[in-house]
């Protein structure tokens, strides 16, 4: 056997040991991609998750946040999650229909009276069940994050459903939302979020629906003359991960990350409404557009025109689930 001087052996062992240690200590990298700006409820939530995860798990976890579709945009992000190219996403609840028909419930127009009702449904048994409803496809829901209720926008005033007739509206990739606009005899067009500003600017579409924070952060008020405060639907998110990746994390990392996610979710959900109101104020201050308030009668007309959409999707979503969501409008 080759005889090595003791000092050399010691140094070799030490070097091996050190490099072995360095390898074991490499942080787990979690890429969190999303399509909106930093100043929105989701953007702030992603940044807070990064801050708390890196503070509480120093050296163990590194979180890289990619806002504004800078890593993956709509259409590609779910595929990337399944391929392991990104570990966290928070797509709007309108973007899951390829994976489950049940989550379509959140797109039904005029389903929830307010965000408190949404909260009750998401945290009730049926809402919680939806988080794990895509596990067979390797997608695990970790939390719901609010953005808020949607408002309509167009280059003409929308007061009654007939005002929308014939207009082209951008919608998210959701069959329910397509039907919602068809119900008022408008033409829906699916388009990724990153394309909205240009689509409106060039007239590929004439109007859209979104929350105040998404409108303001995308400068939609520069290319739309009118907003209608309709509160007709919801933009909320499911924070999702690759189920195999998440379950494969060491317990002393996964546990704290789940606690942090719960904490961040409370914070996002507390701040979302205030962020939307401050964005609405910025749109008012910019003076480039007009905000239309509906009378109760006008709002009832929109509701009546869009409600038939429910029946179309009741089979896919499930009457029981819809009933549970409606029940959540009653304060507990
Ligand atoms: C949209 O596409 O309008 C929204 O889903 C964007 C978002 O993530 O809030």
């Amino acid at each position: 056997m080759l005889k090595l001087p003791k000092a050399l052996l010691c140094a070799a062992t030490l070097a091996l040991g050190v490099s072995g240690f360095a390898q074991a200590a490499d942080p787990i990298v979690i890429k969190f991609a999303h399509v909106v700006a930093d100043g929105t409820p989701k953007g702030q939530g992603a940044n807070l998750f990064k801050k708390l995860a890196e503070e509480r798990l120093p050296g163990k976890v590194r979180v890289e946040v990619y806002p504004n579709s800078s890593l993956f945009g709509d259409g590609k992000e779910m595929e990337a999650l399944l391929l392991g190219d990104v570990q966290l996403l928070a797509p709007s609840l309108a973007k899951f229909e390829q994976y489950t028909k049940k989550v379509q419930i959140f797109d039904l127009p005029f389903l929830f009276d307010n965000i408190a009702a949404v909260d009750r449904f998401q945290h009730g048994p049926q809402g919680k069940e939806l988080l794990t409803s895509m596990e067979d496809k390797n997608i695990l829901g970790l939390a719901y994050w609010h953005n808020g209720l949607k408002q309509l926008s167009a280059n003409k005033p929308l007061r009654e459903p007939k005002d929308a007739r014939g207009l082209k509206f951008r919608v998210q990739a959701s069959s329910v939302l397509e039907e919602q606009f068809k119900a008022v005899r408008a033409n829906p067009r699916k388009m990724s979020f990153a394309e909205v500003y240009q689509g409106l600017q060039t007239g590929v579409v004439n109007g859209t629906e979104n929350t105040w924070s998404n409108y303001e952060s995308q400068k939609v008020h520069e290319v739309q003359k009118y907003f209608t405060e309709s509160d007709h639907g919801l933009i909320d998110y499911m924070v999702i991960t690759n189920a195999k990746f998440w379950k494969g994390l060491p317990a002393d990392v996964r546990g704290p990350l789940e606690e942090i996610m719960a904490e961040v979710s409370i914070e996002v959900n507390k701040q979302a409404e205030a962020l939307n109101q401050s964005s609405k104020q910025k749109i008012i201050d910019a003076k480039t557009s007009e905000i239309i308030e509906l009378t109760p009668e006008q709002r009832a007309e929109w509701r009546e025109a869009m409600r038939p959409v429910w029946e179309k999707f009741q089979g896919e979503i499930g009457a029981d689930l819809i009933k549970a969501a409606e029940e959540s409008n009653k304060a507990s």
Side-chain angles (χ1 to χ4, degrees):
M1 201 178 111
L2 183 67
K3 277 215 151 193
L4 289 174
K6 219 171 166 192
L8 196 66
L9 254 178
C10 269
T13 317
L14 204 67
L16 259 177
V18 167
S19 73
F21 178 75
Q23 247 175 18
D26 272 354
I28 297 164
V29 176
I30 297 180
K31 294 184 183 174
F32 190 160
H34 64 83
V35 301
V36 292
D38 278 327
T40 58
K42 179 162 61 181
Q44 296 209 343
N47 291 345
L48 181 60
F49 180 80
K50 171 185 169 67
K51 180 173 175 281
L52 297 183
E54 291 180 353
E55 259 170 32
R56 294 191 199 160
L57 296 164
K60 286 190 178 172
V61 163
R62 194 172 81 228
V63 181
E64 297 174 359
V65 178
Y66 297 91
N68 292 315
S69 311
S70 56
L71 185 63
F72 297 106
D74 288 333
K76 289 273 187 297
E77 58 179 17
M78 302 269 202
E79 225 175 282
L81 185 85
L82 293 173
L83 289 171
D85 293 335
V86 61
Q87 287 70 39
L88 283 178
L89 300 172
S92 106
L93 296 169
K95 296 177 184 170
F96 286 92
E97 75 177 42
Q98 274 187 42
Y99 301 95
T100 168
K101 299 290 179 200
K102 299 232 171 261
V103 174
Q104 294 185 116
I105 188 167
F106 292 102
D107 282 345
L108 293 180
F110 294 96
L111 174 59
F112 297 106
D113 290 347
N114 48 44
I115 293 294
V118 176
D119 235 19
R120 282 191 287 271
F121 177 67
Q122 289 176 346
H123 294 102
Q126 290 90 349
K128 280 191 195 147
E129 232 175 82
L130 292 177
L131 292 173
T132 50
S133 64
M134 294 171 279
E135 264 196 89
D136 58 334
K137 314 229 164 50
N138 199 25
I139 295 174
L140 176 65
L142 298 173
Y144 289 108
W145 285 0
H146 294 320
N147 184 332
L149 296 178
K150 288 183 289 192
Q151 322 302 337
L152 293 164
S153 80
N155 271 329
K156 61 178 272 199
L158 302 177
R159 293 194 172 86
E160 298 164 24
K162 70 172 166 45
D163 299 329
R165 240 176 243 176
L167 295 187
K168 288 174 278 178
F169 283 89
R170 178 267 172 172
V171 290
Q172 303 175 75
S174 151
S175 307
V176 176
L177 299 179
E178 276 184 324
E179 287 302 322
Q180 171 194 275
F181 281 106
K182 284 186 190 163
V184 293
R185 297 209 244 152
N187 304 314
R189 186 186 274 236
K190 288 181 184 168
M191 195 182 266
S192 73
F193 187 64
E195 292 172 324
V196 171
Y197 181 90
Q198 215 189 353
L200 290 165
Q201 190 184 36
T202 56
V204 171
V205 284
N206 317 111
T208 187
E209 54 170 6
N210 227 310
T211 60
W212 294 120
S213 58
N214 276 349
Y215 279 139
E216 186 262 326
S217 57
Q218 298 302 313
K219 302 191 190 321
V220 170
H221 52 291
E222 290 179 356
V223 287
Q224 292 278 264
K225 289 204 185 74
Y226 298 93
F227 294 94
T228 297
E229 197 152 33
S230 48
D231 285 346
H232 65 283
L234 176 74
I235 290 205
D236 262 19
Y237 308 107
M238 193 188 286
V239 185
I240 53 169
T241 187
N242 179 310
K244 278 198 197 103
F245 163 78
W246 198 256
K247 290 182 175 166
L249 287 172
D252 65 340
V253 169
R254 194 175 68 237
L257 285 181
E258 284 173 356
E259 275 168 33
I260 291 166
M261 184 58 76
E263 224 176 294
V264 171
S265 304
I266 291 172
E267 201 51 33
V268 170
N269 292 347
K270 221 172 11 180
Q271 305 285 339
E273 178 57 14
L275 264 178
N276 277 310
Q277 288 310 314
S278 109
S279 290
K280 180 184 168 189
Q281 191 55 48
K282 284 183 196 159
I283 291 176
I284 294 172
D285 294 344
K287 294 189 167 68
T288 51
S289 50
E290 189 187 320
I291 296 180
I292 296 166
E293 280 178 33
L294 296 177
T295 63
E297 293 75 28
Q298 286 169 333
R299 192 161 183 274
E301 274 186 51
W302 285 94
R303 186 186 161 88
E304 203 177 307
M306 290 178 165
R307 261 297 289 264
V309 173
W310 289 30
E311 278 83 73
K312 288 208 167 128
F313 291 89
Q314 186 168 300
E316 288 181 353
I317 295 171
D320 285 359
L321 200 58
I322 297 178
K323 194 156 171 273
E326 277 194 283
E327 289 288 314
S328 69
N329 285 321
K330 298 182 192 148
S332 52

